[in-house]
Amino acid sequence: MLLVASVLVTGCTAPPRDYLNEPQDEFDARMEWWRDARFGMFIHWGLYAVPAGVYQNEPVGGIGEWIMNSAQIPVSDYESFAAQFNPVRFDAAEWVRIAKDAGMKYIIITSKHHDGFSLWDSDVSQYDIIDATPFGRDILRELADAAAQEDVRLGFYHSIMDWHHPDAQAPHFPTYNTSEKSNPNFPRYVENYLRPQVRELVDGYDPAVLWFDGEWIPEWTHEMGLEMYNFVRSLSPNILINNRVDKGRRGMQGMTRTDQQYAGDFGTPEQEILEGTSTLDWESCMTMNDTWGFKSTDDNWKSAETLIHNLVDIAAKGGNYLLNVGPTAEGLIPQASVERLAEMGDWMEVNGEAIYGSRLWTYYEDGEAVRYTNVGDNIYGISLGWPGRQLALRHVQPDDGSEIRLLGYDQPLTWSYDATDGLIITLPETLQDEAARPSKYAHAFRISGGPVEGDGGL
Ligand code: H79
């Protein structure tokens, strides 16, 4: 009887699967869409958009979404931002369109950041968009619907650290300090709050990715990480989970340590790009200015040229680029971000075939100014900046019948190869005029017809 009852309750008698020991081919199949995508949008949005970097008329240093910590705002004071959060100009379809037009294939939005505020109607919380704000619309639902319409995948950033929940706070809060291990109530928060929230997100919105963060606090243990990873996969077997679910991340460089087995499908360099390649999957998350959550005072925008070069550099090294926007409390993606994303979209329109679905090649660079990608039988040499009258590539040897084209230009290019000089591609005179070039900032040359690795001029 007991056995029958337990079968009825759980639906099966098999022991919980250990998703960590996944056969390589199953892992590859699960990762395929993400590896092909190469470019995604990160969205940091929450109550911190209300103060937007200013507290009690004083500008607060540091990243905007950390203002509660940086300005040592008491929980009860910070909560009052909820009553002011009424982003009436939020339009999920518009956000998805901005991402899609930029060439981004997926979106990761903060379901809950460290401040503890949730962007959906959580059953275990009153501190959420429905119960605590005048806005009263489920932001995650609207984004999930809009993303599904446009074939853009949606995932959630969910913070393990929580500065609001009483059971999750270290006694010394709000002065955050990693050196003290001190909160005996934390497991209760995990059991009664974090896990139920994660279940609500996965069951209710079917996210493609769960992107954990705030895992470095001493209360969060390796065992909790393994358990969470298996829990999420048991709810949604094909979901992807970043390495911050567990304790294996190496600082801001973000790749997973290999001293033991850690959970997590991909590494997460933050505000940096790997120096070279990796045998592990990875995604660099980066801001466009110096903050993730909106700050009214931050105008330190990276140029479209820098952003495009980053995208190329990351793709050549086998990674993904998760580029952040921090919408305002009115619900708008800042105009400076929109403009840069539009320029990236223009570039991807012409050059996307060198980025999407690309895989690591034998070489990822040829000096400072050239990156290589590989898609199918084609090698792409991507020049960061205009190469001049000719482009010299030392690492690639075309087949005799190879055709070389500049993406966006309608004629094949003239080229020569010899062991001394390597491959020399001659650039047409008409393209010496900047205005006549098919794209700005970076120029992709497709070498088709079975090129192989070369060592010309080395
Ligand atoms: O959500 C954005 C930031 O709010 C969040 N991550 C991005 C995606 C972020 N949290 N903290 N930081 C950024 C900087 C904190 C770095 C440190 Fe540590 C935490 C220094 C010491 C503890 C992690 C663990 C990095 C080094 C060791």
Side-chain angles (χ1 to χ4, degrees):
M1 276 302 285
L2 271 178
L3 182 68
V4 172
S6 95
V7 169
L8 287 175
V9 171
T10 64
C12 75
T13 49
R17 207 182 132 181
D18 179 8
Y19 287 94
L20 285 170
N21 294 310
E22 181 179 38
Q24 184 67 36
D25 58 331
E26 289 180 24
F27 178 65
D28 289 340
R30 195 159 57 84
M31 292 295 289
E32 191 175 3
W33 73 264
W34 186 92
R35 290 173 179 162
D36 287 349
R38 286 286 171 251
F39 189 26
M41 175 182 274
F42 215 172
I43 305 179
H44 276 71
W45 204 35
L47 296 186
Y48 38 81
V50 173
V54 180
Y55 185 58
Q56 295 177 338
N57 297 317
E58 296 290 335
V60 179
I63 40 185
E65 71 286 359
W66 274 65
I67 192 169
M68 183 178 181
N69 179 271
S70 309
Q72 303 201 14
I73 305 174
V75 172
S76 57
D77 283 18
Y78 191 88
E79 279 176 340
S80 70
F81 294 136
Q84 301 168 56
F85 192 66
N86 192 21
V88 292
R89 300 185 72 180
F90 169 62
D91 178 349
E94 174 76 359
W95 287 14
V96 171
R97 194 191 56 72
I98 289 169
K100 189 168 181 168
D101 286 355
M104 293 160 152
K105 301 290 194 188
Y106 60 107
I107 294 174
I108 309 292
I109 183 166
T110 48
S111 45
K112 183 193 81 165
H113 205 268
H114 308 330
D115 68 358
F117 180 78
S118 298
L119 289 191
W120 82 102
D121 187 14
S122 174
D123 292 339
V124 292
S125 186
Q126 297 291 305
Y127 195 48
D128 68 37
I129 189 71
I130 301 293
D131 300 319
T133 79
F135 191 52
R137 281 160 52 189
D138 183 339
I139 287 163
L140 300 190
R141 178 72 58 213
E142 292 185 20
L143 271 170
D145 291 346
Q149 282 277 319
E150 295 290 339
D151 276 326
V152 171
R153 307 223 190 200
L154 184 69
F156 300 132
Y157 167 112
H158 204 72
S159 177
I160 290 166
M161 181 165 71
D162 190 311
W163 298 329
H164 181 268
H165 195 283
D167 287 339
Q169 291 182 38
H172 42 71
F173 185 84
T175 308
Y176 172 70
N177 175 0
T178 44
S179 66
E180 274 182 68
K181 191 181 211 125
S182 46
N183 181 3
N185 298 328
F186 191 79
R188 208 164 66 188
Y189 152 81
V190 174
E191 190 59 29
N192 299 334
Y193 195 80
L194 180 61
R195 241 165 152 268
Q197 282 214 321
V198 167
R199 183 197 286 278
E200 288 176 22
L201 289 171
V202 177
D203 286 353
Y205 302 85
D206 193 24
V209 179
L210 269 191
W211 212 106
F212 289 98
D213 198 10
E215 86 293 2
W216 62 81
I217 53 173
E219 295 90 340
W220 184 253
T221 64
H222 175 54
E223 290 66 35
M224 289 172 176
L226 296 180
E227 200 278 333
M228 180 62 84
Y229 183 88
N230 276 317
F231 173 63
V232 173
R233 292 284 308 282
S234 73
L235 298 173
S236 178
N238 290 323
I239 199 169
L240 306 185
I241 304 168
N242 71 341
N243 69 344
R244 301 190 187 188
V245 69
D246 197 355
K247 305 291 281 189
R249 165 167 69 122
R250 269 191 279 132
M252 302 299 268
Q253 189 263 354
M255 297 307 281
T256 309
R257 292 199 306 267
T258 50
D259 55 311
Q260 61 178 93
Q261 190 183 23
Y262 292 101
D265 299 323
F266 56 92
T268 51
E270 177 165 332
Q271 300 289 38
E272 47 184 279
I273 298 172
L274 291 196
E275 290 287 333
T277 61
S278 174
T279 54
L280 305 172
D281 291 281
W282 59 281
E283 172 189 70
S284 273
C285 57
M286 296 182 126
T287 53
M288 277 196 209
N289 51 0
D290 293 323
T291 183
W292 304 89
F294 180 70
K295 269 183 101 165
S296 57
T297 51
D298 187 340
D299 278 316
N300 193 25
W301 299 100
K302 297 171 184 74
S303 65
E305 178 177 34
T306 296
L307 299 172
I308 289 166
H309 286 189
N310 285 349
L311 175 59
V312 171
D313 189 29
I314 290 168
K317 293 169 178 171
N320 281 13
Y321 195 21
L322 187 63
L323 183 57
N324 183 71
V325 299
T328 66
E330 291 72 50
L332 298 177
I333 296 176
Q335 191 55 30
S337 298
V338 173
E339 287 164 10
R340 283 156 181 77
L341 291 172
E343 283 209 73
M344 297 185 84
D346 291 345
W347 191 87
M348 285 295 263
E349 186 89 21
V350 174
N351 299 286
E353 71 161 82
I355 304 294
Y356 300 125
S358 64
R359 294 292 181 268
L360 272 180
W361 191 47
T362 322
Y363 297 95
Y364 67 88
E365 69 176 353
D366 200 333
E368 283 290 297
V370 172
R371 296 291 178 274
Y372 289 110
T373 63
N374 172 212
V375 183
D377 292 334
N378 297 329
I379 300 301
Y380 296 84
I382 308 175
S383 177
L384 306 173
W386 184 250
R389 302 207 167 258
Q390 38 180 233
L391 174 65
L393 298 177
R394 297 173 303 171
H395 289 315
V396 57
Q397 178 175 354
D399 185 75
D400 284 345
S402 282
E403 182 182 83
I404 300 184
R405 284 181 180 266
L406 170 65
L407 297 189
Y409 183 67
D410 59 2
Q411 298 294 315
L413 305 181
T414 307
W415 59 272
S416 66
Y417 179 88
D418 68 64
T420 315
D421 299 326
L423 171 61
I424 305 287
I425 302 169
T426 305
L427 301 176
E429 194 53 41
T430 50
L431 295 183
Q432 298 311 320
D433 173 12
E434 191 175 352
R437 294 173 198 156
S439 31
K440 291 201 260 187
Y441 311 129
H443 309 272
F445 295 82
R446 181 182 66 212
I447 303 145
S448 50
V452 295
E453 299 88 50
D455 57 1
L458 290 179

